[in-house]
Amino acid sequence: MARVKIDYGIDLGTTNSAIARMENGEVKIIKSDTQKDTTPSCVYFRKNTTLVGDTAYARYGDEHKEATKDFSISGKEQHEFNTFIEFKRTMGTDKSYESKSAGRSFNSEELSAEVLKALKNYVRDEEISSVVVTVPARFRNNQIDATQKAAELSGFKYCELLMEPIAASIAYGVNSKSVNGYWLVFDFGGGTFDAALMRVEEGIMKVVDTDGDNHLGGKDLDFAVVDNVIIPYLKENYQIENILSNEYGKSELREALKAMAEEAKIAISAPTKTSADIYTHKPLGEDDKGNEIDFEIKMTLEDYENAVAPVFQRAIDISKKLIESNNLKSSDLEMVLLVGGPTLSQTL
């Protein structure tokens, strides 16, 4: 029987995305091709092949490790990249991503469309043409138009956009009858942070005001670990001045270390966890003296907290400013909804 309403919803995230279907009044997450609830928002091009998700993200890490190794040995900026992430941050801009393997450049809408296609293809039992896609409350018109364009490019005939704070509130069971006052949605995602002040007015859930930072998220926690834990260790144990003094070399080293930092961040976020290991699976290259860069670091919870506290504080300060600018106090809020993987951290 043909559907007469939109039963599919997509969270098109900066770092991870997901698709769900409404079945008999309940939301069912549709598993990815690797049987996970979420899919990395990562696209890899290889000649006539396009890969999205876990396989692509693994290739992203490999590319930057290879680039770091090549530069550490040759000192030349010669690596070609074919894997792209975090293009949601550049939606609605003229930013282009050049793939040497594909022989062309892609804009953010085209890369987002590849992610949407992959999510769409997870649905095996029917063809879907309509979908609800969530967008940050602070998205500007050009970013909204770009999201609509991505949905069109991915094959959807109709796309309804829903503000992420409203989607998060509904997902957490908030409705027009369950709250009487204000609440705050503290949405700390992988690449963006949004704070939304919410209220039910005349039976309708509304976003009263928003603030945020489109360049604040879990990625920044990863780089905080890289910059404050891993690189200081490397500087103490290896001669890496040539890498760090070159903008390209330092950038590629940080990107290569990011995946290790992310794994440690996730591990140490578990309750009662007091440390996490950060290590190389194989050497990253050579230092200035020709020694292989191969290490294992034990990061304590205190090390992690000292590294990431300033990042979380930025989000907290934004939230406080939002509350105060609406002539409210924190005590006036009926509740705070913590959304996003980084909010599981013991530090927050």
Side-chain angles (χ1 to χ4, degrees):
M1 184 176 69
R3 293 184 179 273
V4 294
K5 58 182 180 179
I6 304 177
D7 290 323
Y8 288 90
I10 287 178
D11 176 9
L12 183 60
T14 307
T15 54
N16 290 286
S17 298
I19 182 170
R21 176 168 64 194
M22 185 69 75
E23 294 184 359
N24 299 319
E26 295 185 1
V27 175
K28 177 185 177 182
I29 297 290
I30 298 173
K31 299 287 186 180
S32 70
D33 53 357
T34 55
Q35 296 303 298
K36 295 181 179 179
D37 288 346
T38 60
T39 294
S41 302
C42 180
V43 183
Y44 167 56
F45 298 100
R46 183 181 180 276
K47 295 182 179 179
N48 297 321
T49 301
T50 302
L51 298 177
V52 175
D54 290 298
T55 304
Y57 191 63
R59 186 61 194 134
Y60 178 84
D62 289 342
E63 281 191 343
H64 289 281
K65 289 173 185 175
E66 291 167 3
T68 299
K69 185 175 182 178
D70 290 345
F71 180 81
S72 72
I73 296 172
S74 70
K76 297 179 180 179
E77 304 174 16
Q78 57 190 9
H79 202 80
E80 297 179 353
F81 298 98
N82 296 290
T83 315
F84 309 102
I85 63 172
E86 297 168 1
F87 32 84
K88 180 178 178 179
R89 282 183 164 183
T90 55
M91 290 287 276
T93 72
D94 58 2
K95 168 72 175 177
S96 64
Y97 300 81
E98 182 180 0
S99 167
K100 296 293 185 179
S101 182
R104 55 161 294 196
S105 296
F106 298 85
N107 60 31
S108 304
E109 297 95 299
E110 291 173 312
L111 295 175
S112 295
E114 294 297 335
V115 175
L116 290 173
K117 286 179 191 175
L119 297 172
K120 188 168 179 275
N121 288 336
Y122 295 158
V123 181
R124 310 281 187 183
D125 55 350
E126 66 175 320
E127 291 288 331
I128 59 173
S129 59
S130 300
V131 68
V132 174
V133 175
T134 60
V135 292
R138 299 183 74 248
F139 253 23
R140 299 182 298 275
N141 287 338
N142 62 319
Q143 294 169 303
I144 290 173
D145 292 342
T147 304
Q148 288 278 16
K149 179 64 175 179
E152 178 184 330
L153 290 172
S154 66
F156 286 108
K157 295 180 180 178
Y158 181 78
C159 173
E160 183 75 27
L161 301 182
L162 178 65
M163 287 186 179
E164 289 173 1
I166 294 177
S169 297
I170 294 173
Y172 279 81
V174 181
N175 57 57
S176 60
K177 297 180 181 179
S178 63
V179 292
N180 296 312
Y182 293 94
W183 72 94
L184 180 76
V185 176
F186 185 95
D187 188 352
F188 201 107
T192 59
F193 171 71
D194 288 300
L197 187 64
M198 309 287 294
R199 189 177 188 181
V200 173
E201 296 180 5
E202 298 179 355
I204 300 174
M205 188 183 301
K206 293 185 177 181
V207 178
V208 178
D209 197 4
T210 66
D211 204 344
D213 189 333
N214 287 337
H215 294 274
L216 174 63
K219 171 183 178 178
D220 300 283
L221 299 176
D222 300 335
F223 280 131
V225 172
V226 168
D227 294 335
N228 296 287
V229 178
I230 306 179
I231 287 183
Y233 173 88
L234 295 181
K235 290 171 68 175
E236 185 176 335
N237 292 275
Y238 296 91
Q239 297 293 324
I240 57 172
E241 283 76 12
N242 288 341
I243 296 176
L244 295 180
S245 62
N246 180 277
E247 185 176 343
Y248 171 86
K250 183 178 180 179
S251 175
E252 288 309 311
L253 175 64
R254 293 177 78 238
E255 287 290 346
L257 296 172
K258 178 180 176 296
M260 304 175 202
E262 182 182 17
E263 289 178 0
K265 174 191 70 178
I266 294 171
I268 209 166
S269 294
T272 73
K273 189 78 171 180
T274 59
S275 66
D277 294 326
I278 305 173
Y279 54 89
T280 49
H281 294 283
K282 57 183 180 181
L284 280 178
E286 299 177 356
D287 71 359
D288 302 345
K289 292 186 175 181
N291 298 313
E292 288 189 332
I293 302 175
D294 194 10
F295 61 87
E296 182 172 348
I297 306 170
K298 184 171 289 295
M299 179 179 68
T300 67
L301 181 59
E302 183 179 5
D303 293 334
Y304 177 70
E305 289 176 340
N306 290 336
V308 305
V311 180
F312 278 127
Q313 190 61 50
R314 286 169 58 191
I316 292 170
D317 290 343
I318 289 172
S319 301
K320 287 182 176 180
K321 178 183 175 183
L322 174 65
I323 294 168
E324 292 170 359
S325 66
N326 283 273
N327 299 315
L328 296 171
K329 302 187 295 292
S330 297
S331 58
D332 294 326
L333 300 178
E334 187 166 328
M335 61 181 161
V336 176
L337 293 182
L338 299 179
V339 182
T343 63
L344 297 174
S345 172
Q346 297 184 67
T347 301
L348 184 61

